[in-house]
């Protein structure tokens, strides 16, 4: 029987974190905050907001960046199952469910929840310090500059270059001619207001630290 299994000592940090969350009414707070984004009628049972955000807190404190990694980490730890308030007979929420909820909840909700937690931890003395430093990194996106399109017309960057070449008298420009013309083009400037990536809505035209312009 599961009840007869020996209980291992819990993780000290997560035990104290759990105490702070319960004392502060964390579950009631996040349920009320997320209520407008959950359907009130019958349907498939969803992950409780308190459990969803607890899993992301694990990722926050342990530097786990993917939902799949969160599922694996929580599934492998009895102390984290206890932190998620799961019995041994219930499985840890899968990464696809986490991803769907993350997409449906606005960024502002996540920010408010994490702000509430950090404030509660500071008051309890579990996190010491008056300032938090954030290291922001710019990463090259999984998209190419040549895949960007005009927001207003849907014209690709390649099509724009071909149009400019034809207007200048080159009827059938080669790839080398287009590249050379693009390098020498006066007033060359790409704005995120005018251009977007077809394959990645979050990608932006950005100047990298080495001076190159990329989708990032």
């Amino acid at each position: 029987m599961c009840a007869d299994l020996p209980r291992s000592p819990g993780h000290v940090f997560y035990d104290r974190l759990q105490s702070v969350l319960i004392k502060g009414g964390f579950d009631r707070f996040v349920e009320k905050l997320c209520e407008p984004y959950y359907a009130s009628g019958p349907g498939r049972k969803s992950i409780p907001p308190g459990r969803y955000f607890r899993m992301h807190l694990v990722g926050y404190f342990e530097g786990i960046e993917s939902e799949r990694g969160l599922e694996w980490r929580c599934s492998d730890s009895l102390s984290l199952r206890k932190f998620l308030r799961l019995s041994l007979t219930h499985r840890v929420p899968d990464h696809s469910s986490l991803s769907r909820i993350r997409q449906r909840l606005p960024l502002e909700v996540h920010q408010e929840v994490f702000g509430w937690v950090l404030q509660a931890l500071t008051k309890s003395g579990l996190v010491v310090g008056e300032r938090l430093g954030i290291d922001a990194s710019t990463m090259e996106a999984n998209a190419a500059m040549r895949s960007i399109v005009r927001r207003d017309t849907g014209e690709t960057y390649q099509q724009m270059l071909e149009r400019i070449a034809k207007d200048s008298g080159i009827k059938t420009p080669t790839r080398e001619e287009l590249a050379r013309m693009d390098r020498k083009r006066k007033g060359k400037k790409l704005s995120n207001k005018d251009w977007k990536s077809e394959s990645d809505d979050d990608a932006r035209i950005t100047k990298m630290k080495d001076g190159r312009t990329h989708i990032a």
Side-chain angles (χ1 to χ4, degrees):
M1 296 293 291
C2 293
D4 297 329
L5 292 175
R7 298 289 180 180
S8 62
H11 193 290
V12 176
F13 175 80
Y14 287 110
D15 283 348
R16 292 187 61 187
L17 174 58
Q18 185 81 295
S19 176
V20 171
L21 296 180
I22 293 175
K23 184 178 179 180
F26 176 74
D27 292 273
R28 292 192 301 273
F29 166 72
V30 293
E31 285 173 7
K32 185 176 180 180
L33 192 64
C34 298
E35 187 176 2
Y37 308 100
Y38 278 70
S40 57
R44 182 181 177 185
K45 189 175 181 180
S46 182
I47 303 171
R51 184 166 298 150
Y52 165 79
F53 281 109
R54 277 179 173 84
M55 289 188 71
H56 279 287
L57 286 174
V58 172
Y60 176 79
F61 288 115
E62 299 193 15
I64 302 173
E65 298 181 354
S66 71
E67 276 103 1
R68 191 184 297 271
L70 283 178
E71 180 186 351
W72 288 346
R73 174 72 178 99
C74 294
S75 297
D76 286 342
S77 171
L78 289 176
S79 62
L80 288 181
R81 291 181 66 92
K82 178 182 176 184
F83 176 64
L84 298 180
R85 311 181 92 173
L86 279 171
S87 68
L88 291 176
T89 57
H90 290 82
R91 63 167 295 173
V92 170
D94 63 86
H95 64 275
S96 59
S97 297
L98 292 178
S99 180
R100 282 194 295 270
I101 294 176
R102 177 178 53 80
Q103 292 169 2
R104 292 170 181 173
L105 292 179
L107 175 62
E108 292 77 15
V109 171
H110 291 82
Q111 290 175 332
E112 189 169 348
V113 171
F114 276 81
W116 185 98
V117 171
L118 289 176
Q119 188 176 22
L121 294 182
T122 301
K123 289 180 180 179
S124 67
L126 196 53
V127 173
V128 180
E130 295 181 356
R131 294 180 176 84
L132 292 175
I134 300 176
D135 179 18
S137 299
T138 300
M139 297 182 296
E140 189 171 344
N142 187 22
M145 285 288 289
R146 62 177 177 270
S147 68
I148 60 176
V149 297
R150 292 278 307 186
R151 291 183 182 274
D152 52 354
T153 63
E155 182 183 43
T156 67
Y157 191 73
Q158 182 74 11
Q159 290 171 340
M160 182 200 70
L161 291 178
E162 292 174 352
R163 175 173 52 80
I164 294 176
K166 290 178 181 178
D167 290 343
S168 64
I170 307 175
K171 292 185 178 180
T172 55
T174 64
R175 182 175 299 178
E176 290 75 15
E177 288 174 328
L178 290 176
R180 185 166 55 251
M181 181 192 68
D182 189 33
R183 287 194 299 270
K184 297 180 179 179
R185 185 162 55 90
K186 292 183 179 180
K188 178 181 176 180
K189 189 176 181 181
L190 297 175
S191 169
N192 286 304
K193 182 180 179 181
D194 300 323
W195 296 87
K196 69 175 183 177
S197 169
E198 274 191 310
S199 57
D200 189 345
D201 289 337
D202 295 327
R204 297 291 182 269
I205 300 169
T206 307
K207 182 159 286 190
M208 308 297 285
K209 290 183 179 180
D210 58 7
R212 297 175 300 156
T213 300
H214 276 284
I215 296 291

